[in-house]
Amino acid sequence: MNITVDVNELNTEFNVKLKGEIDAYTAPKLRESLFPISEQENVSITIDLTEVSYMDSTGLGVFVGAFKSVRAHNGEFTLVGLSERLRRLFDITGLADIIDIKSGTEGGLE
Amino acid sequence: MDIRENMEKKYHEALSTYLKDQNEQALYQGQKISRLHIKYNISPEEIISMHKNNLMELYPELPGKVLDSFDFLLEVMMGYGIAYREHQSLRHQQQELKTEIEIAANVQHTLLETEIPDIKALEIGAISVPARQMNGDYYHFVQDENERIGVGIADVIGKGIPAALCMSMIKYAMDSLPEHRHEPKSVLESLNRVVEHNVDPSMFITMFYGLYDPHDRQFSYASAGHEPGFYYDAATGAFSDLDAKGLLLGVDKKTRYRQYEKTVNRGDMIILLSDGVTECRTNDGFIERETLIGLIKKNMHLQAQEMVNNIYKQLEKMQNFQLRDDFTLIILKSNV
């Protein structure tokens, strides 16, 4: 199981494309890529989850941590391309009410 | 004779037998000796030196250059000897860590132990199995002096030892709540403040808390982002999701939780679970909540504890006996 993190940077805008599985084994790599960005002032991070085939609650922890950090540094945090299963995870945990989430438009991921 | 002398003697015997007539039996002796060498920590370079001494004894007329070549080989093997000793020491350390984790898991088990209340109105079954040694799931029962029963089920986001340590804190925060604060929404609000304040910013907890009052058969509950359970209505024979909305514990200290109420009738069931139950992955993908309902129906005729045990066994089998996540299932069956 692996994950690739592809970061595209333009001034203070970061477009992050994730591909693969997010679980306890790959979460540390994701955290290492996201946290340095999230700690900068006034950034706008958009994370594309279209090609994430699996995510467990460990991944959720990474996103909440990054979200809190971005918010504390006056930035914006958006998640896009969520499959139905991922969307449900954010709905159940109440995170969909506080994080800006745009569901997948490029077809289902499952 | 000490071990080393004994080994040298064995090596000498096996080598001379093999050199006399190269048969399988003598080669097999070589394999046996190799295992003994590993057992007694004899390094590769020592074996070469042993070999050289044996050759000198068996063939005194052997050319000096051939013997010299063994000194060269011995130097080359030195690195392997070092790598081998490092491996041994790591193995030893790993064994020590394993033992320590086993002890920690036992301590955790004792710390988090909860007694299942025994009341006529409710039949209760509960099971919690960690995916690894330590459990990041937790369930808790309390019974107050008005015979009300509180049930909490929580899951730390994250696995393994850090998650398990975090859970102990939840348990102590719950134990220190005053009795009049056992209203589900107040429990979650108090714990949310504790988690927000004390836990690592990237660690979060999902939790469901319910309170059953046998006097008026009311079940009140609230959820902090926890996987929804099921409610079985005996009158209609239908299962529904025990939906409750609320944010995970530890994200925002000002979070308020909504409390829901349900009247529990005779034969009704409340099924609570952790996402380790719904995240079961089989060869055909994730199990669906319908599959789970099917399993519950199949076991409904049993006692609550037998039900949870059976459902666990069946799900474990469906995912080839490999739990990916901690698994917790609680069933409350109403008898009145």
Side-chain angles (χ1 to χ4, degrees):
Chain A
M1 311 309 164
N2 218 334
I3 187 160
T4 55
V5 184
D6 194 7
V7 183
N8 240 313
E9 185 183 347
L10 188 72
N11 300 320
T12 56
E13 268 186 43
F14 291 84
N15 283 307
V16 183
K17 212 168 164 40
L18 303 179
K19 197 175 177 177
E21 299 203 347
I22 310 174
D23 58 15
Y25 302 99
T26 60
K29 185 177 171 188
L30 182 61
R31 188 177 289 127
E32 275 166 36
S33 320
L34 291 183
F35 275 54
I37 308 174
S38 73
E39 283 169 347
Q40 298 174 31
E41 285 297 325
N42 300 312
V43 291
S44 163
I45 304 183
T46 305
I47 301 173
D48 186 349
L49 303 173
T50 309
E51 290 184 69
V52 172
S53 53
Y54 171 79
M55 177 171 108
D56 69 4
S57 51
T58 328
L60 211 57
V62 177
F63 290 129
V64 184
F67 163 73
K68 282 185 82 175
S69 169
V70 169
R71 201 173 55 171
H73 295 91
N74 307 307
E76 286 170 30
F77 185 88
T78 313
L79 295 174
V80 299
L82 281 76
S83 66
E84 220 174 284
R85 183 174 273 278
L86 282 186
R87 174 76 206 194
R88 181 177 173 271
L89 206 53
F90 282 89
D91 281 337
I92 289 173
T93 49
L95 291 168
D97 295 337
I98 58 165
I99 297 180
D100 190 8
I101 292 174
K102 296 186 175 69
S103 289
T105 47
E106 296 150 328
L109 305 181
E110 306 246 330
Chain B
M1 198 183 322
D2 74 358
I3 290 163
R4 203 154 298 254
E5 279 174 37
N6 192 15
M7 294 304 258
E8 275 180 29
K9 188 167 164 264
K10 279 205 161 87
Y11 193 88
H12 181 86
E13 282 166 10
L15 180 66
S16 34
T17 316
Y18 180 70
L19 293 176
K20 214 180 283 163
D21 44 34
Q22 289 81 38
N23 65 24
E24 285 289 323
Q25 188 56 32
L27 267 186
Y28 176 65
Q29 285 304 316
Q31 285 175 20
K32 267 168 67 178
I33 286 172
S34 162
R35 283 194 288 273
L36 276 174
H37 282 170
I38 289 170
K39 186 175 167 194
Y40 292 112
N41 290 326
I42 293 174
S43 68
E45 61 267 31
E46 280 177 281
I47 299 171
I48 291 166
S49 143
M50 215 183 272
H51 189 81
K52 183 188 166 192
N53 292 340
N54 272 300
L55 281 188
M56 290 196 315
E57 213 180 301
L58 291 167
Y59 304 101
E61 71 287 0
L62 208 66
K65 296 281 179 216
V66 173
L67 291 174
D68 289 347
S69 82
F70 281 102
D71 292 331
F72 185 81
L73 181 62
L74 194 142
E75 279 306 309
V76 172
M77 291 310 284
M78 210 83 106
Y80 285 89
I82 293 167
Y84 172 68
R85 279 187 289 275
E86 267 171 18
H87 168 83
Q88 291 291 95
S89 126
L90 284 176
R91 248 174 69 155
H92 185 66
Q93 283 176 23
Q94 191 198 31
Q95 194 55 47
E96 273 179 7
L97 280 176
K98 213 179 135 195
T99 314
E100 269 187 50
I101 293 169
E102 265 163 33
I103 296 168
N106 282 335
V107 171
Q108 189 209 19
H109 192 76
T110 316
L111 280 176
L112 298 186
E113 218 159 20
T114 181
E115 207 174 302
I116 295 179
D118 185 18
I119 63 162
K120 278 201 200 102
L122 272 189
E123 200 182 279
I124 304 174
I127 186 170
S128 187
V129 184
R132 297 193 220 155
Q133 272 169 309
M134 290 178 90
N135 202 338
D137 280 359
Y138 171 58
Y139 69 86
H140 184 88
F141 288 100
V142 270
Q143 185 171 16
D144 68 15
E145 49 195 25
N146 299 316
E147 287 193 302
R148 292 188 306 177
I149 297 213
V151 51
I153 176 166
D155 179 3
V156 183
I157 287 187
K159 295 187 181 77
I161 300 170
L165 290 174
C166 186
M167 232 8 138
S168 311
M169 195 187 67
I170 283 287
K171 145 107 184 174
Y172 282 95
M174 285 202 33
D175 282 349
S176 55
L177 290 176
E179 208 163 79
H180 63 276
R181 299 295 303 275
H182 279 170
E183 287 295 313
K185 69 188 188 91
S186 335
V187 170
L188 295 185
E189 281 161 15
S190 307
L191 292 178
N192 178 51
R193 284 190 293 271
V194 173
V195 175
E196 213 277 335
H197 195 71
N198 295 299
V199 184
D200 181 275
S202 63
M203 202 174 262
F204 306 93
I205 296 171
T206 75
M207 182 161 183
F208 177 99
Y209 195 84
L211 188 66
Y212 174 78
D213 190 337
H215 303 293
D216 57 5
R217 294 184 294 166
Q218 284 296 304
F219 182 66
S220 42
Y221 57 98
S223 168
H226 196 78
E227 178 74 25
F230 297 104
Y231 191 87
Y232 171 71
D233 185 336
T236 61
F239 282 85
S240 58
D241 282 358
L242 199 57
D243 275 323
K245 264 190 103 65
L247 187 62
L248 300 169
L249 300 180
V251 179
D252 186 347
K253 65 172 169 238
K254 286 187 241 125
T255 310
R256 291 278 164 270
Y257 292 93
R258 203 178 129 189
Q259 194 161 302
Y260 302 76
E261 306 278 340
K262 240 180 164 64
T263 307
V264 184
N265 294 309
R266 191 189 184 94
D268 285 4
M269 285 192 298
I270 297 160
I271 297 123
L272 307 177
L273 37 87
S274 68
D275 62 1
V277 179
T278 44
E279 294 263 303
C280 281
R281 265 221 277 202
T282 63
N283 291 335
D284 312 323
F286 293 98
I287 65 148
E288 297 295 329
R289 283 171 75 85
E290 283 68 38
T291 318
L292 197 59
I293 290 177
L295 277 176
I296 298 170
K297 278 187 187 157
K298 217 171 98 185
N299 292 284
M300 236 157 67
H301 59 285
L302 299 167
Q303 289 273 316
Q305 188 59 48
E306 284 174 53
M307 267 182 86
V308 295
N309 291 349
N310 267 10
I311 294 168
Y312 168 69
K313 270 187 215 144
Q314 282 150 18
L315 282 173
E316 192 194 25
K317 196 173 160 198
M318 278 166 72
Q319 51 180 339
N320 299 325
F321 301 96
Q322 277 202 324
L323 280 191
R324 275 177 81 106
D325 198 357
D326 304 329
F327 179 109
T328 302
L329 181 65
I330 297 175
I331 293 180
L332 311 172
K333 236 179 178 178
S334 168
N335 288 328
V336 289

